[in-house]
Amino acid sequence: MSEWQPRILAILCNWCSYAGADLAGVSRIQYPPSIRVIRVPCSGRVDQLFILKSLQSGFDGVLVSGCHPGDCHYISGNYVARRKFALLKPLLEFIGIEPDRVQFSWISAGEGERFAEVITKITEDVRKLGPSKRLVKKT
Amino acid sequence: MNSIVMKQDASTAIRELLAYLLSSSRVDAVLTMRQVPETGSCDLGLITDPSGMVEAEPFLPVMTANAGQALSSISMSGKRIAAVLKPCELRGFTERVKREQGSFDNLLTISSICGGVFPLEKVISGDLEKLVPRYIEKTARAEAPRGLRETCKACEEFVPMNADISVSVTEHGSLMHLHSDRAEEYTEGFEGERIEARADQSHIDRMMKSRSAAKGKLFQSLEKSSGLDGLVDLFGKCVGCHGCSRVCPICYCQHCDFESINFDYNQPYFQESLEARGALRLPPDTILFQLGRLTHMSFSCVGCGMCSDVCPVSIPVAGIFKKTGERTAGLFDYVPGRDSEEPIPVMVFKEEELGDIG
Amino acid sequence: MAAVLPVGSDLSGAMNRFLKTILEKDIVDAVLMPMKVPSGDSFAWIIMSDSSIVDDAEAMAPVMPVQGARALRSLTRKGEGSIRVLALMRPCEIRAAIELSKLGQVKTENLILAAYDCPGAVPMDSFVSDPSSGEDLFRKMLAGEDVSAGEVKPSCTSCVEFSMTDADLHFGHFGLGGTEVLLIPGSPKGMEILEALELPADRETSIWDEAVRKRREKQVASRDAAFEETGENIRGVQGMLNVFADCISCRNCRAACPICYCRLCHFESETAKQDPNSRLDSAVTRGGISLPADRMLFHTGRMTHMSLSCVSCGQCSDACPADIPVAQVFSFVADRTQKAFEYSAGRNDGDPLPLRSFMKSELSGIHEMVSDAEPGGHAHE
């Protein structure tokens, strides 16, 4: 049987991080095939619930990525997102989800290399943690 | 601070003040707890006729609904209202005002240093008659009465934060403190000796001591409820009635996300889940609802305890939300309900902050 | 006629084995049944396709934390797929599911609804505070021993539909001394299950029939007494006001009700919201009002919306934090509204919902009928 591969949901903002992923692709930069991408207009659109729901539905990790602070296409969406992520952190701890399963990053449209690095990092982090418990108690 | 000395007990004095405000047409209505003498049943009354004041029990240690929630839409009528609110109700209302669900514009808020309230079950079982006299006696001595709501025993925010008028009752007497110009203006002509005084700090300190100890205990008892297994143990018996969110002063959404079509699943979803896990709980998302509510409102939780009171399966919801809320609000030095001008932490940001994210 | 399931030592265990068998033999794809929650003080509905999980489940749970029809609603509301599910529930849960299917909220095509002779349920609050006594109590109830009425859910003590042959398959055990269970098919679907298991339905059921008839007689008497008491309590507007005096408007009753399926209740919608100014005007007119407002309007409104489908399961009372006998009142009213249309909620007899059908010539004596149906329901006394 082949080795277990983590499945990671990457929620990317349309203007920076999605374009960064695109650049990584056209530049043929290699990164692990572990992510499934959802494109959102802005990282500010991401409700913390999206992240919890992804983990519950069976994703092993979640990455949310937006424009660098100061570069938001909508001026301030990523600042608001940053606050929401800050709020989510203690909650994840309370729920008992390992902090490395949920990661946030800022990737611009020109950072194809960085996109690949971020994906490689989260993939390795999640691989170390093993499969997610899907918010259920194992009996 | 300008304060009025109350000759009679605090309830009588406030009842007289409310009647005075109504009969002198300074306000159009008052909101207060009241108790029907014959049946003993209590409710929140919005009273316009001064004669109705006989049933008013402004400081009845009972919360049938968070008055901040009940006051919400009424406060936007443009009519002048005097509202007697417990500190957590006032904080709940303040949080609602920040969410454009209420207005202070025509409101005179009256609150008090709060001794806590009894759980609904005690009210329903008719124990109140016995409990209240003892409650009054004990709280005047800054002692904790028995049988209060768990969150009340552990509440450190028992001093009103932004009331126009606050009432303090100690063994040495009762005072009405006037905190705002509106308070001065509305009480003008109301009988009673004016003195310069603040609430007795040693009384507050003594209350705080027992509250802090109880809070430590409560939080510690909930320690085992964190982590996935702890959460499943805790919320596993949740019946999904969502009563906690309906009585919550912060949960103002008319249509909760968790009751929306977003949380209906089609059959392929169930089929897939069954294939992956072999079993699935129905209705689904019992625990996700609690976690979702924690992400949506815990930083604004005022710890009133309504949620625990209505839970049909006795889950200590309020303790969990209060404990988690202190952590989430603490990230931004946010104190829910402190000041209506203080913005909700997720609605604002600083450019230079939270450098560890991303 | 019925098939026979030998019991051995444990009634609930025998039913578990039966459910496990039909999963193992792929007669159904999944079963829906109660399982104890990890904290041990309640039960939850679990749909399971893995037959080994059935061992941890409980065919008959002492409590009814979530009305089973609500579980079925969440499973099939968005339409049915290809999984065939057998749901084992109390008769009132099956009846609610049938009502919901008439209301388009449960799709029964791929469901096999199975019920059992229900001895009643233990109230949630007492079970949560002492689960082991609750389980002992339920064992006694199952064995037909006398328990004091105060320990059982009030709606169960006056339930006359505790045994139900409108389900696809019924597990009858009353009067059989705990040695065997009768598998009574109520529909071709139920018959198919028995055929697939090669269980012939050749047993005569007279002993069971007699036991059920006797119990029903007793239950009818206690229901009539309960109705009489409730009728007295809610007499006139003041009576209703007194009964609901402690209502805090949490709407748990509505949320726990299997029939109240609306996503956004009318009474929580924008339509029902009164303009704050007119609310104050009405306070001025009356000298004062009680908040949260419109509590009686909510209860009577809910009654008009769902009493024709009320199955008297008692979940509303169980969920009420103010201990209001909501279920007793709703049962009382439902009994009368349903009689007015000769309708019985939860029957699988093809009767359409009364308000979804009409006949051109009917209800000509509407005025007399209304006054007959509501003894004491008038404000003017």
Side-chain angles (χ1 to χ4, degrees):
Chain A
M1 224 178 106
S2 63
E3 198 196 339
W4 168 75
Q5 294 297 333
R7 285 202 308 166
I8 294 163
L9 182 70
I11 307 178
L12 309 177
C13 91
N14 178 54
W15 303 98
C16 293
S17 299
Y18 191 82
D22 214 22
L23 181 64
V26 295
S27 314
R28 305 190 176 221
I29 304 168
Q30 295 295 312
Y31 60 85
S34 56
I35 57 164
R36 313 288 186 275
V37 176
I38 290 183
R39 178 164 59 160
V40 289
C42 176
S43 54
R45 171 64 185 93
V46 179
D47 188 314
Q48 299 101 308
L49 205 54
F50 294 1
I51 296 164
L52 294 174
K53 185 73 198 159
S54 318
L55 292 168
Q56 186 214 37
S57 324
F59 279 102
D60 303 303
V62 183
L63 170 75
V64 184
S65 187
C67 307
H68 283 276
D71 291 348
C72 177
H73 184 80
Y74 303 101
I75 317 292
S76 59
N78 55 359
Y79 289 129
V80 175
R82 194 169 59 181
R83 284 219 158 189
K84 285 198 274 189
F85 303 153
L87 272 175
L88 185 64
K89 282 194 153 195
L91 274 168
L92 291 173
E93 192 186 308
F94 168 69
I95 301 165
I97 291 172
E98 304 88 337
D100 278 353
R101 274 197 205 283
V102 180
Q103 299 190 12
F104 309 102
S105 68
W106 316 119
I107 299 171
S108 79
E111 293 178 320
E113 288 279 359
R114 179 168 155 76
F115 181 80
E117 281 163 24
V118 167
I119 300 304
T120 309
K121 178 179 183 304
I122 189 172
T123 306
E124 286 321 305
D125 287 348
V126 173
R127 194 192 303 283
K128 271 181 223 144
L129 293 169
S132 145
K133 282 173 78 181
R134 301 186 70 141
L135 303 189
V136 288
K137 187 173 181 169
K138 283 272 175 277
T139 42
Chain B
M1 185 186 326
N2 209 357
S3 302
I4 302 176
V5 180
M6 298 194 266
K7 288 254 157 16
Q8 313 105 313
D9 65 291
S11 294
T12 313
I14 291 297
R15 213 178 280 135
E16 280 179 8
L17 173 66
L18 295 172
Y20 173 77
L21 291 171
L22 276 178
S23 52
S24 62
S25 298
R26 287 200 163 98
V27 300
D28 303 302
V30 304
L31 177 75
T32 168
M33 279 304 294
R34 52 181 189 179
Q35 191 170 29
V36 185
E38 306 86 65
T39 62
S41 82
C42 355
D43 67 352
L44 272 171
L46 184 72
I47 304 172
T48 53
D49 182 348
S51 70
M53 217 43 72
V54 290
E55 290 185 352
E57 282 295 343
F59 302 119
L60 194 70
V62 170
M63 193 189 291
T64 49
N66 186 300
Q69 185 187 40
L71 181 62
S72 197
S73 80
I74 303 269
S75 72
M76 296 193 284
S77 63
K79 300 268 174 41
R80 289 158 309 164
I81 297 170
V84 187
L85 305 164
K86 294 169 183 75
C88 57
E89 295 177 321
L90 178 55
R91 281 179 285 125
F93 180 73
T94 307
E95 286 297 305
R96 284 181 90 96
V97 170
K98 293 179 191 177
R99 289 162 173 78
E100 297 179 24
Q101 303 296 312
S103 163
F104 279 109
D105 288 351
N106 298 295
L107 205 58
L108 178 77
T109 55
I110 303 168
S111 193
S112 65
I113 293 181
C114 179
V117 303
F118 292 106
L120 274 179
E121 57 189 50
K122 290 241 164 37
V123 181
I124 306 306
S125 58
D127 293 344
L128 222 47
E129 223 174 307
K130 285 187 300 226
L131 290 168
V132 173
R134 183 117 185 88
Y135 171 93
I136 294 172
E137 208 177 289
K138 285 215 141 197
T139 46
R141 294 202 301 260
E143 288 168 15
R146 269 166 206 269
L148 295 180
R149 272 187 186 170
E150 290 301 318
T151 36
C152 293
K153 288 183 200 162
C155 170
E156 291 176 329
E157 291 84 27
F158 54 89
V159 180
M161 294 176 177
N162 57 340
D164 293 306
I165 298 176
S166 72
V167 171
S168 66
V169 180
T170 67
E171 289 169 288
H172 313 297
S174 312
L175 290 168
M176 212 185 278
H177 310 284
L178 312 179
H179 298 273
S180 65
D181 294 344
R182 188 175 290 171
E184 302 275 0
E185 183 194 320
Y186 277 55
T187 53
E188 208 187 309
F190 180 66
E191 272 179 49
E193 187 196 342
R194 278 10 185 218
I195 59 166
E196 192 65 24
R198 291 181 179 278
D200 179 358
Q201 190 59 42
S202 75
H203 183 88
I204 293 174
D205 291 343
R206 272 181 290 152
M207 280 178 83
M208 187 66 86
K209 210 175 150 202
S210 84
R211 298 295 183 92
S212 301
K215 182 168 144 183
K217 245 193 237 165
L218 175 68
F219 282 10
Q220 201 176 357
S221 75
L222 297 169
E223 211 50 64
K224 60 177 188 302
S225 308
S226 62
L228 269 189
D229 291 354
L231 279 175
V232 174
D233 273 350
L234 183 73
F235 289 122
K237 62 182 161 176
C238 167
V239 296
C241 71
H242 298 185
C244 44
S245 82
R246 277 190 302 277
V247 298
C248 176
I250 312 301
C251 270
Y252 69 89
C253 294
Q254 192 156 48
H255 193 188
C256 179
D257 195 20
F258 287 94
E259 280 155 27
S260 75
I261 201 158
N262 295 344
F263 285 87
D264 270 2
Y265 299 106
N266 52 23
Q267 288 263 318
Y269 170 85
F270 290 114
Q271 220 163 325
E272 240 168 64
S273 304
L274 280 178
E275 275 161 26
R277 297 193 241 170
L280 182 77
R281 181 177 172 146
L282 292 181
D285 295 332
T286 311
I287 290 172
L288 193 70
F289 165 74
Q290 305 288 351
L291 299 179
R293 210 164 83 80
L294 276 170
T295 69
H296 286 168
M297 57 62 67
S298 68
F299 47 85
S300 284
C301 172
V302 294
C304 68
M306 280 306 298
C307 46
S308 283
D309 246 26
V310 300
C311 180
V313 289
S314 312
I315 298 171
V317 195
I320 292 289
F321 274 68
K322 174 82 177 145
K323 182 168 180 268
T324 316
E326 287 197 359
R327 282 211 56 190
T328 49
L331 285 172
F332 304 102
D333 299 318
Y334 183 72
V335 178
R338 174 166 55 186
D339 175 0
S340 61
E341 298 299 317
E342 189 177 0
I344 305 166
V346 288
M347 303 296 281
V348 289
F349 57 86
K350 291 184 202 136
E351 289 187 10
E352 297 304 323
E353 64 173 359
L354 305 170
D356 58 327
I357 304 265
Chain C
M1 299 297 264
V4 181
L5 186 68
V7 164
S9 60
D10 169 22
L11 187 62
S12 200
M15 285 159 69
N16 268 28
R17 278 196 300 283
F18 176 85
L19 297 172
K20 195 172 176 175
T21 309
I22 59 171
L23 261 186
E24 281 167 350
K25 294 197 172 171
D26 277 335
I27 297 170
V28 295
D29 300 309
V31 297
L32 176 63
M33 62 191 296
M35 190 189 282
K36 200 181 270 186
V37 298
S39 53
D41 52 359
S42 184
F43 286 77
W45 288 109
I46 308 288
I47 180 171
M48 46 198 106
S49 54
D50 179 346
S51 62
S52 70
I53 300 176
V54 177
D55 295 333
D56 301 324
E58 194 84 51
M60 294 181 283
V63 281
M64 186 158 70
V66 172
Q67 229 273 6
R70 276 180 62 206
L72 288 171
R73 188 174 84 200
S74 72
L75 179 69
T76 62
R77 191 181 206 166
K78 265 203 166 171
E80 45 207 321
S82 51
I83 37 175
R84 270 166 64 86
V85 181
L86 182 138
L88 178 64
M89 295 179 170
R90 294 188 146 83
C92 58
E93 297 176 301
I94 299 294
R95 282 186 290 122
I98 291 171
E99 281 306 297
L100 282 180
S101 80
K102 293 183 186 181
L103 290 160
Q105 303 299 312
V106 163
K107 317 287 190 304
T108 53
E109 194 145 305
N110 286 318
L111 293 177
I112 294 125
L113 302 176
Y116 54 85
D117 287 345
C118 175
V122 179
M124 247 346 256
D125 53 350
S126 65
F127 190 84
V128 166
S129 62
D130 186 355
S132 66
S133 306
E135 289 188 38
D136 287 343
L137 176 69
F138 187 64
R139 263 192 292 277
K140 281 189 200 161
M141 287 155 66
L142 264 183
E145 293 173 34
D146 279 332
V147 297
S148 83
E151 291 180 284
V152 185
K153 256 178 94 166
S155 44
C156 299
T157 57
S158 48
C159 171
V160 298
E161 312 250 21
F162 53 88
S163 175
M164 134 120 203
T165 43
D166 271 17
D168 296 313
L169 191 61
H170 185 85
F171 293 73
H173 60 83
F174 280 162
L176 305 177
T179 54
E180 53 187 25
V181 176
L182 295 179
L183 298 172
I184 307 152
S187 74
K189 275 189 207 167
M191 206 61 209
E192 275 168 33
I193 300 248
L194 296 185
E195 278 162 11
L197 287 165
E198 294 173 21
L199 285 170
D202 54 4
R203 174 70 73 91
E204 233 265 277
T205 62
S206 58
I207 298 176
W208 174 77
D209 287 336
E210 180 60 15
V212 169
R213 193 191 59 79
K214 268 198 169 148
R215 187 180 163 97
R216 184 164 285 134
E217 246 170 40
K218 220 175 96 195
Q219 295 284 96
V220 165
S222 85
R223 180 197 65 176
D224 291 348
F227 276 174
E228 200 166 319
E229 193 192 327
T230 304
E232 257 335 289
N233 288 344
I234 63 170
R235 186 176 292 278
V237 171
Q238 197 52 47
M240 277 292 265
L241 286 173
N242 288 344
V243 169
F244 288 99
D246 289 329
C247 172
I248 60 163
S249 209
C250 71
R251 314 265 156 104
N252 277 5
C253 46
R254 195 260 305 144
C257 176
I259 305 301
C260 270
Y261 66 85
C262 293
R263 229 178 256 294
L264 178 58
C265 176
H266 166 76
F267 295 98
E268 284 156 35
S269 75
E270 201 60 36
T271 327
K273 261 197 185 158
Q274 206 182 345
D275 166 67
N277 266 306
S278 53
R279 183 73 79 203
L280 262 158
D281 288 344
S282 62
V284 171
T285 317
R286 288 143 65 184
I289 54 170
S290 179
L291 293 179
D294 295 340
R295 298 202 292 273
M296 279 315 289
L297 188 68
F298 164 72
H299 289 295
T300 47
R302 198 169 84 85
M303 237 170 233
T304 66
H305 286 171
M306 56 63 67
S307 78
L308 283 167
S309 289
C310 174
V311 295
S312 300
C313 65
Q315 287 301 84
C316 43
S317 284
D318 230 30
C320 179
D323 285 347
I324 298 167
V326 194
Q328 288 87 321
V329 175
F330 273 67
S331 274
F332 175 88
V333 173
D335 179 65
R336 278 146 188 81
T337 55
Q338 291 177 20
K339 269 186 189 141
F341 292 99
E342 292 168 20
Y343 183 74
S344 181
R347 282 285 158 81
N348 217 349
D349 51 10
D351 264 8
L353 292 167
L355 293 185
R356 286 244 186 119
S357 56
F358 60 85
M359 283 175 275
K360 280 194 177 157
S361 62
E362 64 172 356
L363 307 171
S364 54
I366 182 77
H367 306 295
E368 294 95 281
M369 193 200 74
V370 169
S371 52
D372 282 344
E374 292 183 343
H378 292 286
H380 47 86
E381 292 185 348

